[in-house]
Amino acid sequence: MEQSAPPRRITIVDVAEHANVSTTTVSKVLRNAYGVSPAMQAKVRKSMSDLGYRPHAAARGLRGRTYTIGLMLPDIRNPFFPEIIDGANEVLDATDYQILLGPARNVREIEHRVTEAMIDRSMDGLILIVPAATPTELEQTARAVPVVVVARHLRSTLLDTVVTDDVAGAALVVDHLADLGHRRIAHIAHAESQRHLVTTMPNTIRAEGYRQAMRARGLGDEIDVVATTYSKEGGYLGARQLLARSRRPTAIFAGADIAAMGALEAIADAGLSVPGDISVVGYDNTDFAALGGIGLTSVEQGGRQMGSDAARLLLERIDDRAKPSRLISLSPTLVVRRSSAPPPR
Amino acid sequence: MEQSAPPRRITIVDVAEHANVSTTTVSKVLRNAYGVSPAMQAKVRKSMSDLGYRPHAAARGLRGRTYTIGLMLPDIRNPFFPEIIDGANEVLDATDYQILLGPARNVREIEHRVTEAMIDRSMDGLILIVPAATPTELEQTARAVPVVVVARHLRSTLLDTVVTDDVAGAALVVDHLADLGHRRIAHIAHAESQRHLVTTMPNTIRAEGYRQAMRARGLGDEIDVVATTYSKEGGYLGARQLLARSRRPTAIFAGADIAAMGALEAIADAGLSVPGDISVVGYDNTDFAALGGIGLTSVEQGGRQMGSDAARLLLERIDDRAKPSRLISLSPTLVVRRSSAPPPR
DNA sequence: AACGCCATGGGTAACGTTTCCCGATGTTGC
DNA sequence: GCAACATCGGGAAACGTTACCCATGGCGTT
């Protein structure tokens, strides 16, 4: 029952006393700063481990860094994002930085609140995954803290960007399906509510890439886009609409695997088979696509690569905020599996 | 090109000057502390919004609260966790608290690192979802910061707990399948590597509940457990093993929907049908289970409820650390769908 | 009329760390 | 052999906020 008083935290002062040096020196050791002899280093480090000292990140933040990186993601249900996060962690695990996640639940206001919260907590840098904010807002954020934007097609002197070529990705899908003999290739898109984001969001660019590719293959008249959302429900509803068409499409290109998942269920519900009656292709190549049974043809974006690139860019920008900004654009590839085949008859 | 110098942050001092009051008063307004007249309140608040002041959470943490709650989860791929998180946010959205997530990637050491990182960042409280730490370690953590543990069956005076009755949940499944006429009911479990956690981890308790229920129905001889992991791969591999038995089970009870998902694919790969050849029941009742095509019978744990209960308990404990600890135990229910039916013949 | 109390506002020292500068030693070059 | 220079360590202020405690003035009691 003895509530054993919350043991006072070991601070830099305790370490300094224990090692018989000044707090300044301890601080220098902590940061690997210049001006400490190896002997000093060793002595102080010993004291730190003897006492079980852990730096108080919040206090550090008041003057220097917090060694914290904030990662904003639109939602935690999309299986593509974990890939990016894994990639970022791959890089960050070897450093003193710690990632903390802030999910925005697909709401602009929440995204804003989360981003501000990260800044207010003195995070050293932010990775924003498909943010819904305007370019201006993003630059505003980038003025306050180093920012890397992932999956938005924008270029700015104030922030770094990692994207994949969504136009090329969409073309891979259309070409693949057209090569198989499909003509009625429909697309399930993620509706963009913000008009001014149309040119920078991956979903709209994927849809536009689809249209371009269709026209390039002489299938301009067959263009058919239903705009729902990149989610299981969105895919399900989108596919339902498409299946109800008088001239039902023979292939569906879902803008995200998670939507493809919903589409597959809608197709099964309708008593149709994949790929016998209808082909389905996704985007993101999540592990769900790879696994047995389903075997979804999908576009590999290199999520891990995006994540690790983003982390690297961010670390470099934290080290030098004046550095010229960079944009890394990755090329997608198509992974063909069992869900796509020639059209019936 | 003008890098427009990072605009200095508005601080409490700026607000105080603008409103012609002391910083103390501003601070009081900020915290809704006692001793400020309504007129003062209004004046200060006006200055705050005029200047666009936002409190610096990290600095606050040095003396008081950071208004940050850390939520540790084992991994971000399990679709059950988002339910819990949504539930917690439901409660926290109305407060000044902000949740930040720390995924542990199913590695004990990372979980430890994440938890420490949260403490070092002066978070006001921690929600730990199915932590892999020992009870002693958890109590150690709870001494440093208010803690609510979710989904571990443990009781401690130092921390609050939210669980569901996993024994009852397992019994619901076994009884349902036995009622349908099944005898060879197998279970896919999540292997527990830590021997001393056996009595408190939900996965082991679910497996034990399965055994108890089987014996209670006189099916003790049919008990068949394969221990893999609660993941798509784990479910796939587990089912493969079970399907290779000479006396193949007629029903599989997967300890988590995500594992059931893998099992479904293994069954499809084997050319068998669900529920014609074999019934499958999951656990967690994730939205995946509910959606069309699949129609997975599953155990509803009330993830949202768990999350909101956890958040409430935590807020109360933050307000009063001496408060006696509480344990909330929720009763699971069975949601029957199409994946379970009487055994063949 | 004197007293004490409450409500309100403010002064100041923390909180744990980093940064800026300075002083005391060697060390080097000529 | 002496100035100039590295190198190493420390003192003290600063970061933005809150906690603690005190000062003031108005009011109700006796």
Side-chain angles (χ1 to χ4, degrees), chain A residues 100 117 120-121 123, chain B residues 57-58 65-71 92 96-101 118 121-126 145 314 318:
Chain A
L100 291 176
D120 295 345
R121 278 151 189 82
M123 296 198 177
Chain B
R65 304 181 175 182
T66 55
Y67 295 92
T68 311
I69 285 176
L71 189 150
L92 265 16
D96 286 335
Y97 286 88
Q98 172 66 44
I99 277 202
L100 291 176
L101 267 44
M118 289 177 167
R121 279 151 189 80
S122 295
M123 296 198 176
D124 297 336
L126 265 42
V145 61
L314 189 58
I318 288 173

Side-chain angles (χ1 to χ4, degrees), chain B residues 179-259:
Chain B
D179 286 349
L180 286 172
H182 290 273
R183 295 184 53 83
R184 293 202 296 280
I185 304 169
H187 177 54
I188 298 179
H190 180 98
E192 188 49 62
S193 48
Q194 305 286 315
R195 211 178 45 243
H196 35 286
L197 299 188
V198 164
T199 56
T200 59
M201 294 294 276
N203 42 318
T204 58
I205 297 199
R206 247 167 245 177
E208 187 49 34
Y210 155 83
R211 289 194 189 87
Q212 281 180 27
M214 288 292 278
R215 282 192 290 267
R217 298 289 299 224
L219 300 175
D221 293 343
E222 303 286 355
I223 290 174
D224 187 358
V225 178
V226 278
T228 58
T229 62
Y230 284 173
S231 67
K232 222 156 348 189
E233 292 72 14
Y236 190 86
L237 295 174
R240 282 247 297 229
Q241 279 186 50
L242 291 172
L243 295 178
R245 300 267 198 263
S246 50
R247 290 178 70 240
R248 197 210 297 148
T250 61
I252 295 180
F253 162 31
D257 278 2
I258 186 134

Side-chain angles (χ1 to χ4, degrees), chain A residues 303-320:
Chain A
R304 293 187 77 93
Q305 183 70 42
M306 295 177 83
S308 59
D309 282 345
R312 254 185 299 269
L313 286 178
L314 190 58
L315 289 182
E316 292 177 17
R317 178 152 304 279
I318 289 173
D319 270 344
D320 175 10

Side-chain angles (χ1 to χ4, degrees), chain B residues 80 84 150-151 162-164 301-311 330:
Chain B
F80 176 57
I84 301 182
V150 175
V162 179
V163 280
T164 54
Q301 293 202 66
R304 294 187 75 93
Q305 183 70 43
M306 296 176 83
S308 60
D309 282 346
L330 304 174

